Coordinates of all heavy atoms in Angstrom, one line a residue:
M98 N 0.8 -1.2 0.0 CA 0.0 0.0 0.0 C 0.9 1.2 0.0 O 1.8 1.3 0.8 CB -0.9 0.0 1.2 CG -1.8 1.2 1.3 SD -2.8 1.0 2.8 CE -3.8 2.5 2.6
R99 N 0.6 2.2 -0.8 CA 1.3 3.5 -0.9 C 0.6 4.5 -0.1 O -0.6 4.6 0.0 CB 1.4 3.9 -2.3 CG 2.3 2.9 -3.2 CD 2.1 3.2 -4.6 NE 2.5 4.6 -4.9 CZ 3.3 5.0 -5.8 NH1 4.0 4.1 -6.5 NH2 3.6 6.3 -6.0
A100 N 1.4 5.4 0.5 CA 0.9 6.6 1.2 C 0.2 7.5 0.2 O 0.6 7.6 -0.9 CB 2.0 7.3 2.0
T101 N -0.7 8.3 0.6 CA -1.4 9.3 -0.2 C -1.4 10.6 0.5 O -1.2 10.6 1.7 CB -2.8 8.8 -0.6 OG1 -3.6 8.7 0.6 CG2 -2.8 7.6 -1.4
S102 N -1.8 11.6 -0.2 CA -1.9 13.0 0.5 C -2.8 12.9 1.7 O -3.8 12.2 1.6 CB -2.4 14.0 -0.5 OG -1.5 14.2 -1.5
G103 N -2.4 13.5 2.8 CA -3.2 13.5 4.0 C -2.8 12.4 4.9 O -3.2 12.4 6.1
E104 N -1.9 11.5 4.5 CA -1.5 10.4 5.4 C -0.1 10.6 5.8 O 0.7 9.7 5.8 CB -1.6 9.0 4.6 CG -3.0 8.7 4.3 CD -3.1 7.3 3.6 OE1 -2.1 6.6 3.5 OE2 -4.2 7.0 3.0
V105 N 0.3 11.8 6.1 CA 1.6 12.2 6.6 C 1.9 11.4 7.8 O 1.2 11.4 8.8 CB 1.7 13.7 6.8 CG1 3.1 14.1 7.3 CG2 1.4 14.5 5.5
G106 N 3.1 10.7 7.8 CA 3.6 10.0 9.0 C 3.0 8.6 9.2 O 3.2 8.0 10.2
T107 N 2.3 8.1 8.2 CA 1.7 6.8 8.3 C 2.1 6.0 7.1 O 2.1 6.5 6.0 CB 0.2 6.7 8.5 OG1 -0.4 7.3 7.3 CG2 -0.2 7.5 9.7
R108 N 2.4 4.7 7.2 CA 2.6 3.8 6.1 C 2.2 2.3 6.6 O 2.3 2.0 7.8 CB 4.0 3.7 5.6 CG 5.0 4.7 5.8 CD 6.3 4.3 5.1 NE 6.3 3.7 3.9 CZ 6.3 4.3 2.7 NH1 6.3 5.6 2.6 NH2 6.4 3.6 1.6
A109 N 1.9 1.5 5.6 CA 1.6 0.1 5.9 C 2.9 -0.6 6.3 O 2.8 -1.5 7.1 CB 1.0 -0.5 4.7
S110 N 4.0 -0.3 5.8 CA 5.3 -1.0 6.1 C 6.5 0.0 6.1 O 6.5 0.9 5.3 CB 5.5 -2.0 5.0 OG 6.8 -2.6 5.2
L111 N 7.4 -0.2 7.1 CA 8.6 0.6 7.1 C 9.7 -0.2 6.5 O 10.8 0.3 6.4 CB 8.9 0.9 8.6 CG 8.0 1.8 9.3 CD1 8.4 2.0 10.7 CD2 7.9 3.2 8.6
S112 N 9.5 -1.4 6.0 CA 10.6 -2.3 5.5 C 10.4 -2.5 4.0 O 11.1 -3.4 3.5 CB 10.6 -3.6 6.3 OG 9.4 -4.3 6.1
D113 N 9.6 -1.7 3.3 CA 9.4 -1.9 1.9 C 10.5 -1.2 1.0 O 10.4 -1.3 -0.2 CB 8.0 -1.6 1.5 CG 7.7 -0.1 1.6 OD1 8.5 0.6 2.2 OD2 6.6 0.3 1.3
G114 N 11.4 -0.5 1.6 CA 12.5 0.1 0.9 C 12.0 1.4 0.1 O 12.7 1.8 -0.8
R115 N 11.0 2.0 0.6 CA 10.4 3.2 -0.1 C 10.4 4.4 0.8 O 10.2 4.3 2.0 CB 9.0 2.9 -0.6 CG 8.9 1.7 -1.5 CD 9.6 1.8 -2.8 NE 9.0 2.7 -3.7 CZ 9.6 3.0 -4.9 NH1 10.7 2.4 -5.3 NH2 9.0 3.9 -5.7
L116 N 10.6 5.6 0.2 CA 10.5 6.9 1.0 C 9.4 7.6 0.4 O 9.3 7.7 -0.9 CB 11.8 7.7 0.8 CG 13.1 7.1 1.3 CD1 14.3 7.9 0.8 CD2 13.0 7.1 2.9
S117 N 8.5 8.2 1.2 CA 7.4 9.1 0.7 C 7.9 10.5 0.9 O 8.3 10.9 2.0 CB 6.1 8.8 1.5 OG 5.7 7.5 1.2
L118 N 7.7 11.3 -0.1 CA 8.1 12.7 -0.1 C 6.8 13.6 -0.1 O 6.0 13.5 -1.0 CB 9.0 13.0 -1.3 CG 9.5 14.5 -1.4 CD1 10.3 14.8 -0.2 CD2 10.2 14.7 -2.7
F119 N 6.7 14.4 1.0 CA 5.6 15.3 1.1 C 6.1 16.7 1.2 O 7.2 17.0 1.6 CB 4.8 15.0 2.5 CG 4.0 13.7 2.4 CD1 4.6 12.5 2.8 CD2 2.7 13.8 2.1 CE1 3.9 11.4 2.8 CE2 1.9 12.6 2.1 CZ 2.5 11.4 2.5
A120 N 5.3 17.6 0.7 CA 5.6 19.1 0.8 C 4.4 19.8 1.4 O 3.3 19.4 1.3 CB 5.9 19.6 -0.6
V121 N 4.7 20.9 2.0 CA 3.6 21.8 2.5 C 3.0 22.4 1.2 O 3.6 22.9 0.3 CB 4.2 22.9 3.4 CG1 3.1 23.9 3.8 CG2 4.8 22.3 4.6
Q122 N 1.7 22.3 1.2 CA 0.9 22.9 0.1 C 0.4 24.3 0.5 O -0.7 24.5 0.9 CB -0.3 22.0 -0.2 CG -1.1 22.4 -1.4 CD -2.0 21.3 -1.8 OE1 -1.6 20.3 -2.3 NE2 -3.3 21.6 -1.7
A123 N 1.3 25.2 0.4 CA 1.0 26.6 0.7 C 1.3 27.4 -0.6 O 2.3 27.3 -1.3 CB 1.9 27.1 1.8
H124 N 0.3 28.3 -0.9 CA 0.4 29.1 -2.1 C 0.8 30.5 -1.7 O -0.1 31.3 -1.5 CB -0.9 29.1 -2.9 CG -1.3 27.7 -3.3 ND1 -0.7 27.0 -4.3 CD2 -2.2 26.8 -2.7 CE1 -1.2 25.8 -4.4 NE2 -2.1 25.6 -3.4
G125 N 2.0 30.8 -1.6 CA 2.5 32.2 -1.2 C 2.9 32.3 0.2 O 2.8 31.4 1.0
R126 N 3.6 33.4 0.5 CA 4.2 33.6 1.8 C 3.2 33.6 2.9 O 3.4 33.1 4.0 CB 5.0 34.8 1.8 CG 6.3 34.7 1.0 CD 7.1 35.9 1.1 NE 8.3 35.7 0.2 CZ 9.2 36.7 0.0 NH1 9.0 37.9 0.5 NH2 10.2 36.4 -0.7
L127 N 2.1 34.4 2.7 CA 1.1 34.5 3.8 C 0.4 33.1 4.1 O 0.3 32.8 5.3 CB 0.0 35.5 3.4 CG -1.1 35.8 4.4 CD1 -0.4 36.3 5.7 CD2 -2.1 36.8 3.9
S128 N 0.2 32.4 3.1 CA -0.4 31.0 3.3 C 0.6 30.1 4.0 O 0.2 29.4 4.9 CB -0.7 30.4 1.9 OG -1.2 29.1 2.0
F129 N 1.9 30.2 3.7 CA 2.9 29.4 4.4 C 3.0 29.9 5.9 O 3.1 29.1 6.8 CB 4.3 29.5 3.7 CG 5.3 28.7 4.4 CD1 5.3 27.3 4.2 CD2 6.2 29.2 5.3 CE1 6.2 26.5 4.8 CE2 7.1 28.4 5.9 CZ 7.1 27.0 5.6
L130 N 3.0 31.2 6.1 CA 3.0 31.7 7.5 C 1.8 31.2 8.3 O 2.0 30.9 9.5 CB 3.2 33.2 7.5 CG 4.5 33.8 7.1 CD1 4.5 35.3 7.0 CD2 5.6 33.3 8.0
W131 N 0.7 31.2 7.7 CA -0.5 30.8 8.4 C -0.4 29.3 8.7 O -0.8 28.8 9.8 CB -1.8 31.0 7.5 CG -3.1 30.6 8.1 CD1 -3.9 29.7 7.5 CD2 -3.7 31.0 9.3 NE1 -5.0 29.5 8.4 CE2 -4.9 30.4 9.5 CE3 -3.2 31.9 10.3 CZ2 -5.7 30.5 10.6 CZ3 -4.1 32.1 11.4 CH2 -5.3 31.4 11.5
F132 N 0.1 28.5 7.8 CA 0.4 27.1 8.0 C 1.3 26.9 9.2 O 1.1 26.1 10.1 CB 0.9 26.4 6.8 CG 1.6 25.1 7.2 CD1 0.9 24.0 7.5 CD2 3.0 25.1 7.2 CE1 1.6 22.8 7.9 CE2 3.7 23.9 7.6 CZ 3.0 22.8 7.9
A133 N 2.5 27.7 9.2 CA 3.5 27.6 10.2 C 2.9 27.9 11.6 O 3.2 27.2 12.6 CB 4.6 28.5 9.9
L134 N 2.0 28.9 11.7 CA 1.4 29.2 12.9 C 0.5 28.1 13.4 O 0.5 27.7 14.6 CB 0.6 30.5 12.8 CG -0.2 30.9 14.0 CD1 0.7 31.2 15.2 CD2 -1.1 32.2 13.7
R135 N -0.3 27.5 12.5 CA -1.2 26.4 12.9 C -0.4 25.2 13.3 O -0.7 24.5 14.3 CB -2.1 26.0 11.7 CG -3.3 27.0 11.5 CD -4.3 26.4 10.5 NE -3.9 25.5 9.5 CZ -3.4 25.9 8.3 NH1 -3.4 27.1 8.0 NH2 -3.0 25.0 7.5
A136 N 0.7 24.9 12.6 CA 1.5 23.8 12.9 C 2.2 24.0 14.3 O 2.3 23.0 15.1 CB 2.6 23.6 11.9
A137 N 2.6 25.2 14.6 CA 3.3 25.5 15.9 C 2.3 25.3 17.0 O 2.6 24.9 18.1 CB 3.8 26.9 15.9
L138 N 1.0 25.5 16.8 CA -0.1 25.3 17.8 C -0.6 23.9 17.8 O -1.6 23.6 18.5 CB -1.2 26.4 17.5 CG -0.7 27.8 17.7 CD1 -1.9 28.7 17.3 CD2 -0.3 28.1 19.1
G139 N -0.1 23.0 16.9 CA -0.6 21.7 16.8 C -1.9 21.6 16.1 O -2.7 20.6 16.3
K140 N -2.2 22.5 15.2 CA -3.5 22.6 14.5 C -3.4 22.4 13.0 O -4.3 22.8 12.3 CB -4.2 23.9 14.8 CG -4.4 24.2 16.3 CD -5.5 23.4 16.9 CE -5.7 23.8 18.3 NZ -6.7 23.0 19.0
S141 N -2.3 21.7 12.6 CA -2.2 21.5 11.1 C -3.3 20.6 10.6 O -3.8 19.8 11.4 CB -0.8 21.0 10.7 OG -0.6 19.7 11.3
R142 N -3.6 20.7 9.4 CA -4.6 19.8 8.8 C -4.0 18.9 7.7 O -3.8 19.4 6.6 CB -5.7 20.7 8.2 CG -6.4 21.6 9.2 CD -7.4 22.5 8.5 NE -6.9 23.3 7.4 CZ -6.9 24.6 7.4 NH1 -7.5 25.3 8.3 NH2 -6.4 25.2 6.3
P143 N -3.6 17.7 8.1 CA -2.8 16.9 7.1 C -3.5 16.7 5.8 O -2.8 16.6 4.8 CB -2.7 15.5 7.9 CG -2.8 15.9 9.3 CD -3.7 17.1 9.4
H144 N -4.8 16.6 5.7 CA -5.5 16.3 4.5 C -5.5 17.5 3.5 O -5.6 17.3 2.3 CB -7.0 15.9 4.7 CG -7.1 14.5 5.3 ND1 -6.5 14.2 6.5 CD2 -7.7 13.5 4.9 CE1 -6.7 12.9 6.7 NE2 -7.5 12.4 5.8
T145 N -5.2 18.7 4.0 CA -5.2 19.9 3.1 C -3.9 20.6 3.1 O -3.6 21.3 2.2 CB -6.3 20.9 3.5 OG1 -6.2 21.3 4.8 CG2 -7.7 20.3 3.3
D146 N -3.1 20.5 4.2 CA -1.8 21.2 4.3 C -0.7 20.5 3.6 O 0.3 21.2 3.3 CB -1.4 21.4 5.8 CG -2.3 22.4 6.5 OD1 -2.9 23.2 5.8 OD2 -2.4 22.3 7.7
F147 N -0.8 19.3 3.3 CA 0.4 18.6 2.6 C -0.1 17.9 1.3 O -1.2 17.5 1.2 CB 0.9 17.5 3.6 CG 1.4 18.0 4.9 CD1 0.6 18.0 6.0 CD2 2.7 18.5 4.9 CE1 1.1 18.5 7.2 CE2 3.2 19.0 6.1 CZ 2.4 19.0 7.3
V148 N 0.9 17.8 0.4 CA 0.7 17.1 -0.8 C 1.8 16.1 -1.0 O 2.9 16.4 -0.7 CB 0.6 18.1 -2.0 CG1 1.9 18.8 -2.2 CG2 0.2 17.4 -3.3
M149 N 1.4 14.9 -1.4 CA 2.5 13.9 -1.7 C 3.1 14.1 -3.0 O 2.4 14.2 -4.0 CB 1.9 12.5 -1.6 CG 2.9 11.4 -1.7 SD 2.2 9.8 -1.5 CE 3.6 8.8 -1.6
L150 N 4.4 14.1 -3.0 CA 5.1 14.3 -4.3 C 5.5 13.0 -4.9 O 5.8 13.0 -6.1 CB 6.4 15.2 -4.1 CG 6.1 16.6 -3.5 CD1 7.4 17.4 -3.3 CD2 5.2 17.4 -4.4
G151 N 5.6 12.0 -4.2 CA 5.9 10.7 -4.7 C 6.4 9.7 -3.7 O 6.5 10.0 -2.5
D152 N 6.6 8.5 -4.2 CA 7.1 7.4 -3.4 C 8.3 6.8 -4.1 O 8.2 6.4 -5.2 CB 6.0 6.3 -3.3 CG 6.1 5.4 -2.2 OD1 6.8 5.7 -1.2 OD2 5.4 4.3 -2.2
Y153 N 9.5 6.8 -3.4 CA 10.8 6.6 -4.1 C 11.7 5.6 -3.4 O 11.6 5.5 -2.2 CB 11.5 7.9 -4.3 CG 10.8 9.0 -4.9 CD1 10.1 10.0 -4.2 CD2 10.7 9.1 -6.3 CE1 9.3 11.0 -4.8 CE2 10.0 10.1 -6.9 CZ 9.3 11.0 -6.2 OH 8.6 12.0 -6.8
A154 N 12.6 5.0 -4.1 CA 13.6 4.2 -3.5 C 14.8 5.1 -3.0 O 15.4 4.8 -2.0 CB 14.2 3.2 -4.5
A155 N 15.0 6.2 -3.7 CA 16.0 7.2 -3.3 C 15.5 8.6 -3.8 O 14.9 8.7 -4.8 CB 17.4 6.9 -3.9
I156 N 15.9 9.6 -3.1 CA 15.5 11.0 -3.4 C 16.8 11.8 -3.3 O 17.5 11.8 -2.3 CB 14.5 11.5 -2.4 CG1 13.2 10.7 -2.4 CG2 14.1 13.0 -2.7 CD1 12.3 10.9 -1.2
T157 N 17.1 12.6 -4.4 CA 18.1 13.6 -4.3 C 17.5 15.0 -4.4 O 16.7 15.3 -5.2 CB 19.1 13.4 -5.5 OG1 19.7 12.1 -5.4 CG2 20.2 14.5 -5.5
V158 N 18.0 15.9 -3.4 CA 17.4 17.2 -3.3 C 18.6 18.2 -3.7 O 19.7 18.1 -3.2 CB 17.0 17.5 -1.9 CG1 16.5 19.0 -1.8 CG2 15.9 16.5 -1.5
Q159 N 18.3 19.0 -4.7 CA 19.3 20.0 -5.2 C 18.7 21.4 -5.1 O 17.5 21.5 -5.2 CB 19.7 19.7 -6.6 CG 20.7 20.6 -7.3 CD 22.0 20.6 -6.6 OE1 22.2 21.2 -5.5 NE2 23.0 19.9 -7.2
T160 N 19.5 22.4 -5.1 CA 19.0 23.8 -5.1 C 19.7 24.6 -6.2 O 20.8 24.3 -6.6 CB 19.2 24.5 -3.7 OG1 18.7 25.8 -3.8 CG2 20.7 24.6 -3.4
R161 N 18.9 25.6 -6.7 CA 19.5 26.5 -7.7 C 19.9 27.8 -7.0 O 20.3 28.7 -7.7 CB 18.5 26.7 -8.8 CG 18.4 25.5 -9.7 CD 17.4 25.8 -10.7 NE 16.1 25.1 -10.3 CZ 15.0 25.2 -10.9 NH1 14.9 25.9 -12.0 NH2 13.9 24.6 -10.5
R162 N 19.7 27.9 -5.8 CA 20.0 29.1 -5.0 C 21.5 29.1 -4.6 O 22.2 28.1 -4.7 CB 19.1 29.3 -3.8 CG 17.7 29.2 -4.2 CD 16.9 30.3 -3.6 NE 15.5 30.2 -4.0 CZ 14.8 31.2 -4.4 NH1 15.4 32.4 -4.4 NH2 13.6 31.1 -4.7
W163 N 21.9 30.3 -4.1 CA 23.3 30.4 -3.6 C 23.6 29.6 -2.4 O 24.8 29.3 -2.1 CB 23.6 31.9 -3.3 CG 22.7 32.5 -2.3 CD1 21.5 33.1 -2.6 CD2 22.9 32.5 -0.9 NE1 20.9 33.5 -1.4 CE2 21.7 33.1 -0.3 CE3 23.8 32.0 0.0 CZ2 21.6 33.3 1.0 CZ3 23.7 32.2 1.3 CH2 22.5 32.8 1.8
R164 N 22.6 29.2 -1.7 CA 22.8 28.5 -0.4 C 23.4 27.1 -0.7 O 23.0 26.4 -1.5 CB 21.5 28.3 0.2 CG 21.3 29.0 1.5 CD 20.0 28.6 2.1 NE 20.4 28.3 3.5 CZ 19.6 28.5 4.5 NH1 18.4 29.0 4.3 NH2 20.0 28.3 5.7
R165 N 24.4 26.7 0.1 CA 25.0 25.4 0.0 C 24.6 24.4 1.1 O 24.8 23.2 1.0 CB 26.5 25.5 0.0 CG 27.0 26.4 -1.2 CD 28.2 25.7 -1.8 NE 28.9 26.5 -2.8 CZ 28.6 26.5 -4.1 NH1 27.6 25.8 -4.5 NH2 29.2 27.3 -4.9
T166 N 24.0 25.0 2.2 CA 23.5 24.2 3.3 C 22.1 24.6 3.7 O 21.7 25.7 3.4 CB 24.5 24.3 4.5 OG1 24.4 25.6 5.0 CG2 25.9 23.9 4.1
I167 N 21.5 23.7 4.5 CA 20.2 24.0 5.0 C 20.0 23.2 6.3 O 20.6 22.1 6.5 CB 19.0 23.6 4.0 CG1 17.7 24.1 4.5 CG2 19.0 22.1 3.8 CD1 16.6 24.0 3.5
E168 N 19.3 23.8 7.3 CA 19.0 23.1 8.5 C 17.8 22.3 8.3 O 16.8 22.8 7.8 CB 18.9 24.1 9.7 CG 20.2 24.8 10.1 CD 20.0 25.6 11.3 OE1 18.8 26.0 11.7 OE2 21.0 26.0 11.9
A169 N 17.8 21.1 8.7 CA 16.7 20.2 8.5 C 16.5 19.3 9.7 O 17.4 19.0 10.4 CB 17.0 19.3 7.3
G170 N 15.2 19.0 10.0 CA 14.9 18.2 11.1 C 14.8 16.7 10.6 O 14.1 16.4 9.7
I171 N 15.7 15.9 11.2 CA 15.8 14.5 10.8 C 15.7 13.7 12.0 O 16.6 13.8 12.9 CB 17.1 14.2 10.0 CG1 17.1 15.0 8.7 CG2 17.2 12.7 9.7 CD1 18.4 14.8 7.9
D172 N 14.7 12.8 12.1 CA 14.5 12.0 13.3 C 14.5 12.8 14.6 O 15.0 12.4 15.6 CB 15.5 10.9 13.4 CG 15.4 9.8 12.3 OD1 14.3 9.7 11.8 OD2 16.4 9.2 11.9
G173 N 13.9 14.0 14.5 CA 13.7 14.8 15.7 C 14.9 15.7 16.1 O 14.9 16.3 17.1
E174 N 16.0 15.6 15.3 CA 17.2 16.4 15.6 C 17.4 17.4 14.4 O 17.2 17.1 13.3 CB 18.4 15.5 15.7 CG 18.3 14.6 16.9 CD 19.6 13.7 17.0 OE1 20.6 14.1 16.4 OE2 19.5 12.6 17.6
V175 N 17.9 18.6 14.7 CA 18.2 19.6 13.7 C 19.6 19.4 13.3 O 20.5 19.3 14.1 CB 18.0 21.0 14.2 CG1 18.4 22.0 13.2 CG2 16.6 21.3 14.7
R176 N 19.8 19.2 12.0 CA 21.1 19.0 11.4 C 21.4 20.0 10.2 O 20.4 20.3 9.5 CB 21.3 17.6 10.9 CG 21.2 16.6 12.0 CD 21.7 15.3 11.6 NE 21.6 14.4 12.7 CZ 21.8 13.1 12.6 NH1 22.2 12.6 11.5 NH2 21.7 12.3 13.6
E177 N 22.6 20.4 10.0 CA 23.0 21.2 8.9 C 23.4 20.3 7.8 O 24.4 19.5 7.9 CB 24.1 22.2 9.2 CG 24.3 23.2 8.1 CD 25.2 24.3 8.5 OE1 25.3 24.6 9.7 OE2 25.8 24.9 7.6
L178 N 22.7 20.3 6.6 CA 23.0 19.4 5.5 C 23.5 20.2 4.3 O 23.0 21.3 4.1 CB 21.7 18.6 5.1 CG 21.0 17.8 6.3 CD1 19.7 17.2 5.7 CD2 22.0 16.8 6.8
E179 N 24.4 19.6 3.6 CA 24.9 20.2 2.4 C 24.1 19.7 1.1 O 23.7 18.5 1.1 CB 26.4 19.9 2.2 CG 27.2 20.5 3.3 CD 28.7 20.2 3.1 OE1 29.1 19.7 2.1 OE2 29.5 20.6 4.0
F180 N 24.0 20.6 0.2 CA 23.4 20.2 -1.1 C 24.5 19.6 -2.1 O 25.6 20.1 -2.0 CB 22.7 21.4 -1.8 CG 21.5 21.8 -1.1 CD1 21.5 23.0 -0.3 CD2 20.3 21.1 -1.2 CE1 20.4 23.4 0.3 CE2 19.2 21.5 -0.6 CZ 19.2 22.7 0.2
P181 N 24.2 18.7 -3.0 CA 22.9 18.0 -3.0 C 22.8 16.9 -1.9 O 23.8 16.4 -1.4 CB 23.0 17.3 -4.4 CG 24.5 17.1 -4.6 CD 25.1 18.3 -4.0
M182 N 21.6 16.7 -1.5 CA 21.3 15.7 -0.5 C 20.7 14.5 -1.1 O 19.8 14.6 -1.9 CB 20.4 16.2 0.6 CG 20.9 17.4 1.3 SD 19.7 18.0 2.5 CE 18.7 19.0 1.4
T183 N 21.1 13.3 -0.8 CA 20.5 12.1 -1.3 C 20.0 11.3 -0.1 O 20.8 11.0 0.9 CB 21.5 11.2 -2.1 OG1 21.9 12.0 -3.2 CG2 20.9 9.9 -2.6
F184 N 18.8 10.9 -0.1 CA 18.2 10.1 0.9 C 17.8 8.7 0.3 O 17.2 8.7 -0.8 CB 16.9 10.7 1.5 CG 17.2 12.1 2.1 CD1 17.1 13.2 1.3 CD2 17.5 12.2 3.4 CE1 17.4 14.5 1.9 CE2 17.8 13.4 4.0 CZ 17.7 14.5 3.2
R185 N 18.1 7.6 1.0 CA 17.7 6.3 0.5 C 17.5 5.4 1.7 O 18.1 5.6 2.8 CB 18.7 5.8 -0.5 CG 20.1 5.5 0.1 CD 21.0 5.0 -1.0 NE 22.4 5.3 -0.6 CZ 23.0 6.5 -0.9 NH1 22.4 7.4 -1.5 NH2 24.2 6.7 -0.5
V186 N 16.8 4.3 1.5 CA 16.6 3.3 2.5 C 17.6 2.2 2.4 O 17.9 1.8 1.2 CB 15.2 2.7 2.4 CG1 15.0 1.6 3.5 CG2 14.1 3.8 2.6
E187 N 18.3 1.9 3.4 CA 19.3 0.8 3.4 C 18.9 -0.3 4.2 O 18.3 -0.2 5.2 CB 20.7 1.3 3.8 CG 21.2 2.4 2.8 CD 22.6 2.9 3.2 OE1 23.1 2.5 4.2 OE2 23.1 3.7 2.4

């Protein structure tokens, strides 16, 4: 079974070798700020706030901006990651 939009954080199996990629579905800065406020208060709406971008064996994230690093939350810890970033299940 594959995850679908609105099922953020749930899957039928963690051992199927797949990564689900979700993004915040905000259209513009004000919409994103409104989402961030709701999320900080624990009031996010998974069925409308997130969109599933795909289900992958590996994901590489690249940027076209001047930034070479980004702070990201991984397994509950904040880490500084360098671009390009490749995520895969081993």
Side-chain angles (χ1 to χ4, degrees):
M98 178 178 183
R99 293 169 56 127
T101 58
S102 293
E104 294 180 14
V105 178
T107 62
R108 338 183 37 90
S110 172
L111 295 176
S112 60
D113 63 356
R115 306 296 289 176
L116 297 168
S117 296
L118 181 61
F119 288 85
V121 174
Q122 184 166 293
H124 303 284
R126 289 182 181 174
L127 185 58
S128 177
F129 184 78
L130 289 173
W131 181 239
F132 159 76
L134 177 62
R135 285 195 327 273
L138 297 173
K140 303 288 184 182
S141 66
R142 301 179 303 238
H144 288 59
T145 58
D146 286 338
F147 299 96
V148 61
M149 184 175 181
L150 300 178
D152 201 19
Y153 306 96
I156 302 167
T157 299
V158 179
Q159 179 63 284
T160 182
R161 288 180 259 176
R162 305 230 180 222
W163 58 269
R164 247 187 133 144
R165 299 226 188 269
T166 63
I167 190 170
E168 288 185 347
I171 300 176
D172 292 334
E174 296 181 22
V175 177
R176 298 199 179 168
E177 188 170 338
L178 303 176
E179 294 182 7
F180 290 106
M182 294 180 281
T183 299
F184 299 91
R185 66 183 153 275
V186 177
E187 295 184 355

